[in-house]
Amino acid sequence: QLNILSNGRGLSQFTAKAWVNFNGEGTVAIRDSHNVSSVTDNGTGNYTINYTNNYANANYVAVPWANWDNSSLGVNTDTYSKEVDSVNVRSWYDYGNTNPVAVDAVAIGIVGFGD
């Protein structure tokens, strides 16, 4: 069931409640988003994504993704400290599983599903 809220947003279990694509290098800047008010740079490869409208609880799913430097090198991402009003995302490059290094990503973000 798709519910249309008074502010015009559609909400359902099969639509993303929040998503964001932002520049994680230098001055962090949101390229495009839905239900994200801001992104905070907490240091190299560490960001807090702040929601405009909170989730009902912290049991939602936030799937992170990133592109480190527009090359063929992949970057690892994970989420932690998931709250109803925000989620933290980290990005790092793993040099042969021996020396993970935090990196700022040229493009990074999340897609979130939940109540």
Side-chain angles (χ1 to χ4, degrees):
Q1 175 180 347
L2 176 63
N3 296 316
I4 305 299
L5 306 179
S6 61
N7 62 6
R9 293 184 323 114
L11 187 62
S12 75
Q13 290 298 316
F14 56 87
T15 58
K17 178 157 181 164
W19 59 265
V20 64
N21 174 334
F22 65 94
N23 172 15
E25 290 186 312
T27 301
V28 172
I30 296 174
R31 289 186 182 95
D32 203 357
S33 69
H34 167 67
N35 196 32
V36 171
S37 60
S38 64
V39 175
T40 305
D41 187 349
N42 301 318
T44 303
N46 189 324
Y47 314 93
T48 301
I49 297 167
N50 302 293
Y51 302 123
T52 304
N53 298 289
N54 293 352
Y55 281 85
N57 56 58
N59 296 325
Y60 61 93
V61 174
V63 180
W65 60 270
N67 180 354
W68 178 19
D69 64 358
N70 289 324
S71 73
S72 60
L73 296 174
V75 65
N76 299 299
T77 57
D78 71 357
T79 60
Y80 68 100
S81 298
K82 220 169 30 156
E83 306 292 337
V84 296
D85 62 347
S86 64
V87 64
N88 286 54
V89 177
R90 295 181 286 203
S91 60
W92 71 95
Y93 183 74
D94 191 348
Y95 295 94
N97 296 321
T98 59
N99 188 21
V101 176
V103 294
D104 287 338
V106 249
I108 186 167
I110 59 105
V111 176
F113 292 90
D115 295 326

